[in-house]
Amino acid sequence: MASCKVPYSVLLVSFFIGGFFVPHCLSIGDEANQTVFLLVNASEASGRRTPETLFGIFFEEINHAGAGGLWAELVSNRGFEAGGPIIPSNIDPWSIIGDEDSSLTVSTDRSSCFELNKVALRMEVLCDTKGTNICPAGGVGNNIQKGKKYKVVFYVRSSGAIDVSVSLTGSNGLETMATCEILASASQVSNWTKMEVLLEANATKHNSRLQLTTTRKGVIWFDQVSAMPVDTYKGHGFRSELAEMLADLKSKFIRFPGMHFVGKQPLDPGRRDQGTVDVWNYWTDDGLGYFEFLQLTEDLGALPVWVYNNGISRHDQVSTSNVGPFVQEALDSIEFARGDSNSTWGSIRAAMGHPEPFDLRYVALGNENCGKKNYQGNYLKFYNAIKKAYPDVKIITNFNGLCQTLDHPADFYDYHGQSEIKAAKKFHFFLQCSDVVSMASFAPLFLNDNDRWWHSDAIIFNSSQQYGTPSYWVQHFFRESSSATVLHSTLQKNAYTSLIASAIMWENSDDNKSYLRLKIVNFRKDTVNLKISVDKLEPSSIQPSRSTKTILTSGNLKDENSFDEPNKSPLENAGKDMDVVLLPYSRTSFDLLKESSNIRTARTDSFCKSSF
């Protein structure tokens, strides 16, 4: 394939549908059990150093990835405004406990203390502890599913004294796992008051619920009801087991907030209580916002890639002459991340608990909307303003610059591939311009098993379990490839149509040792005998006893892990013998420990093209 000139670095974002390889897209030979030779030149002088940001994470709010997933908030529709600010508002999935006709009436009004979310829940209790209309023994109120161990926070107001029970119960409400009674006089709750309780469940119920109940007659208003597990990832609100799976990928960047979520509205870092309807038709309370994403990148040791709303959504556009407020919000968000704690927006960040600036180096202008009428005009407004105020910030356009000349300035351009067939066809293309690919990531990242919109996801979870799909484990294979040295490797015997191989030299920060990693994919339905020969290594420089082999394979092309079998990948020790057998439909990786831990960085501009 003829190469094309690429004037800018590439931010490569790939979507793959299905498994971790694409056998139906490639030409497979008929010869079974063939012997193939892989030659690797271990001289780092002939290789090339990969960017330190090569592999990262692409987060998108889809499949309840954040709301009901990575963000550990367990209450859905905590502000009772699902669907927007118009009343009567949608309070689903909250429901009434007790007889709605004789015990209580529930409605919504616009009396909240939150200026950006005026909707609150009004609960008029008609029954009492005495008289002719006595409340049920369990009280009356509202509930929501989910639960285990909670820190419950909510705002309450009433014209009289209150006696509210906050409880964790089983899904049928019959088994109480934890409860706390809140008593307050009329003067204490005459204005909106923040309440906070800690509930520790005495049992594990994966489908439990939170209940707010009372047996005292009167009118009570509730708003912003939140329940969070105490043991979140590094104490910053993320579901620990999901965040740990991300941490295990050792990603170098996180792109957020992702895809069509960008085009809905600006994400003002100061707006902590305003929710939205996601493009995938579910409500998000936006508790997971700009600050939380910045915190997550820091906790994972990654760099943030903040994607702006450039005034263009899926169906609407702001004219270039009116895009000024969007541009100002972009500048404010950079100051929020990078500004001194005495600056206007930096002081807000400091007040939120993070006095030190975040390491924001990359911003992207819009998402998949470069073909819209106002894109270029809006883009230039953003670009010029950001470069004037922050000349070191790298700006990413979503204009596809592959074999095309950009008609506007940019530090990077963003290519999205959404088909495994197209990805396979472009393999050799990216082989020829791979040295200008600065970032690559896989999406979608998460899938809630109860809301499957997009099926080619990396991590699947429910309320209590999670597992990595083959796509996740392929990303895991590449977690050491950032800041590594790509070595010259060659497959012989016309194996290019059925095998893909690569070799890198990388240093393990855990043990400060150097490793030679070989990765081979076998697209064939048959086993392949592979003879590996590594050149330019000193004699006895490999330690077989400390080397490992990892295989990801299945005889079923549609196979993936499950909640019952979350891990199917065997780990075996690699010996001295480099004659290996590649299983059908497999992905095999060898990490060979070198005696010397000194890794030399290649400084040559020449790069030997190989099968990588």
Side-chain angles (χ1 to χ4, degrees):
M1 177 184 292
S3 63
C4 67
K5 294 183 178 179
V6 183
Y8 302 97
S9 294
V10 179
L11 174 65
L12 174 62
V13 182
S14 297
F15 292 74
F16 293 101
I17 301 173
F20 63 97
F21 43 68
V22 284
H24 57 287
C25 304
L26 301 174
S27 173
I28 306 298
D30 295 327
E31 182 182 353
N33 299 319
Q34 64 173 323
T35 298
V36 177
F37 297 88
L38 173 62
L39 307 179
V40 178
N41 183 349
S43 172
E44 296 177 62
S46 64
R48 181 176 290 274
R49 190 69 175 263
T50 62
E52 63 178 0
T53 58
L54 185 57
F55 284 101
I57 289 173
F58 185 121
F59 180 90
E60 177 183 3
E61 183 56 82
I62 183 175
N63 307 317
H64 280 280
L70 180 61
W71 185 240
E73 173 63 68
L74 297 176
V75 174
S76 177
N77 195 11
R78 64 185 185 182
F80 309 103
E81 77 279 18
I86 305 300
I87 57 172
S89 181
N90 179 11
I91 68 169
D92 185 71
W94 293 87
S95 60
I96 292 174
I97 299 173
D99 189 332
E100 187 173 2
D101 295 326
S102 62
S103 299
L104 81 165
T105 61
V106 171
S107 61
T108 55
D109 61 26
R110 293 182 55 80
S111 63
S112 174
C113 59
F114 295 96
E115 289 300 321
L116 294 174
N117 171 21
K118 297 301 295 182
V119 176
L121 182 74
R122 182 184 186 275
M123 185 172 76
E124 183 176 1
V125 182
L126 306 175
C127 57
D128 208 340
T129 56
K130 57 185 177 180
T132 59
N133 187 13
I134 298 178
C135 292
V140 296
N142 302 272
N143 67 71
I144 191 169
Q145 294 181 343
K146 290 268 191 201
K148 48 180 180 180
K149 186 176 181 181
Y150 294 90
K151 177 181 179 182
V152 181
V153 179
F154 61 93
Y155 290 78
V156 65
R157 178 173 72 89
S158 179
S159 56
I162 64 170
D163 181 354
V164 176
S165 293
V166 182
S167 306
L168 296 176
T169 74
S171 59
N172 58 8
L174 299 178
E175 179 184 2
T176 300
M177 295 179 289
T179 189
C180 179
E181 186 177 14
I182 296 179
L183 300 172
S185 66
S187 62
Q188 290 175 310
V189 292
S190 60
N191 296 314
W192 282 103
T193 304
K194 182 180 180 180
M195 298 291 182
E196 182 174 317
V197 299
L198 182 65
L199 298 178
E200 184 172 354
N202 58 23
T204 299
K205 298 289 183 181
H206 299 313
N207 293 296
S208 58
R209 69 190 192 185
L210 173 68
Q211 291 187 172
L212 302 177
T213 59
T214 185
T215 57
R216 182 186 292 268
K217 187 175 183 179
V219 179
I220 307 175
W221 286 264
F222 293 101
D223 199 9
Q224 297 301 318
V225 182
S226 171
M228 296 279 281
V230 173
D231 57 342
T232 60
Y233 186 70
K234 297 191 176 181
H236 291 141
F238 295 93
R239 181 170 159 179
S240 294
E241 58 270 28
L242 296 182
E244 286 166 0
M245 290 189 72
L246 298 184
D248 203 33
L249 292 177
K250 300 182 179 180
S251 299
K252 301 303 181 182
F253 69 88
I254 302 179
R255 183 190 191 271
F256 64 89
M259 294 302 288
H260 299 299
F261 202 87
V262 176
K264 296 189 307 171
Q265 64 173 19
L267 295 182
D268 187 327
R271 298 177 183 174
R272 314 260 322 141
D273 52 352
Q274 190 176 42
T276 48
V277 178
D278 187 79
V279 69
W280 302 106
N281 297 319
Y282 60 83
W283 177 257
T284 59
D285 289 299
D286 288 350
L288 174 55
Y290 182 46
F291 176 78
E292 288 75 21
F293 275 117
L294 290 172
Q295 185 64 69
L296 178 63
T297 60
E298 185 175 85
D299 290 345
L300 296 179
L303 293 173
V305 179
W306 169 226
V307 187
Y308 292 127
N309 181 341
N310 60 351
I312 302 175
S313 68
R314 298 180 69 191
H315 305 294
D316 300 302
Q317 297 186 53
V318 175
S319 66
T320 300
S321 60
N322 293 322
V323 81
F326 290 77
V327 175
Q328 186 57 52
E329 187 163 81
L331 296 174
D332 292 343
S333 72
I334 298 178
E335 182 179 281
F336 178 85
R338 297 176 33 144
D340 185 88
S341 59
N342 294 320
S343 65
T344 300
W345 285 95
S347 64
I348 296 176
R349 182 199 66 239
M352 294 171 69
H354 201 286
E356 296 300 319
F358 290 104
D359 192 8
L360 179 63
R361 307 180 195 177
Y362 304 93
V363 298
L365 304 184
N367 177 80
E368 292 186 354
N369 50 28
C370 60
K372 296 295 183 70
K373 174 183 176 181
N374 296 332
Y375 179 79
Q376 183 168 342
N378 290 5
Y379 176 93
L380 291 175
K381 287 279 189 178
F382 279 86
Y383 182 91
N384 292 334
I386 293 171
K387 285 296 186 181
K388 180 179 179 180
Y390 303 96
D392 62 312
V393 169
K394 302 300 182 184
I395 297 179
I396 303 166
T397 175
N398 66 69
F399 183 88
N400 181 5
L402 289 177
C403 293
Q404 302 177 55
T405 301
L406 299 185
D407 56 3
H408 52 270
D411 296 297
F412 300 89
Y413 66 82
D414 191 355
Y415 170 77
H416 290 192
Q418 301 190 16
S419 165
E420 76 274 27
I421 297 177
K422 292 180 180 179
K425 290 181 177 179
K426 286 188 176 294
F427 169 74
H428 291 289
F429 175 85
F430 284 110
L431 173 65
Q432 295 183 39
C433 68
S434 59
D435 55 323
V436 298
V437 176
S438 295
M439 298 177 178
S441 59
F442 175 89
L445 186 61
F446 287 111
L447 183 148
N448 188 315
D449 190 50
N450 298 306
D451 187 36
R452 290 176 174 251
W453 279 92
W454 196 292
H455 292 272
S456 59
D457 308 88
I459 299 171
I460 297 178
F461 65 92
N462 58 24
S463 65
S464 60
Q465 299 169 292
Q466 64 285 323
Y467 64 87
T469 68
S471 295
Y472 172 84
W473 292 110
V474 169
Q475 300 303 306
H476 199 274
F477 274 109
F478 285 89
R479 64 179 186 165
E480 314 294 354
S481 294
S482 300
S483 299
T485 301
V486 180
L487 302 177
H488 183 203
S489 58
T490 305
L491 280 168
Q492 295 183 336
K493 192 170 179 174
N494 299 320
Y496 294 105
T497 60
S498 58
L499 298 179
I500 293 177
S502 68
I504 62 170
M505 199 74 75
W506 65 281
E507 185 170 359
N508 190 336
S509 59
D510 294 331
D511 59 13
N512 294 320
K513 301 291 186 181
S514 296
Y515 289 84
L516 170 63
R517 172 169 291 183
L518 308 174
K519 298 189 288 288
I520 308 102
V521 177
N522 179 16
F523 295 116
R524 294 176 56 88
K525 63 181 179 181
D526 305 307
T527 59
V528 173
N529 299 314
L530 181 68
K531 288 184 176 291
I532 302 175
S533 176
V534 182
D535 195 15
K536 305 297 183 181
L537 276 182
E538 298 178 2
S540 303
S541 61
I542 296 295
Q543 299 183 24
S545 62
R546 298 282 304 278
S547 300
T548 59
K549 177 175 67 175
T550 306
I551 303 173
L552 183 63
T553 185
S554 175
N556 180 4
L557 291 179
K558 299 295 184 179
D559 202 5
E560 69 171 38
N561 300 333
S562 65
F563 292 125
D564 294 329
E565 296 181 273
N567 300 298
K568 289 187 177 180
S569 309
L571 180 66
E572 304 173 6
N573 289 328
K576 296 180 181 180
D577 188 0
M578 298 300 287
D579 291 349
V580 299
V581 176
L582 303 178
L583 298 179
Y585 306 132
S586 66
R587 172 75 169 71
T588 306
S589 177
F590 300 90
D591 277 306
L592 308 178
L593 176 62
K594 289 182 61 181
E595 288 283 356
S596 174
S597 62
N598 296 322
I599 291 185
R600 301 181 301 278
T601 302
R603 298 298 182 188
T604 177
D605 290 332
S606 63
F607 182 61
C608 300
K609 294 181 177 62
S610 68
S611 57
F612 178 39

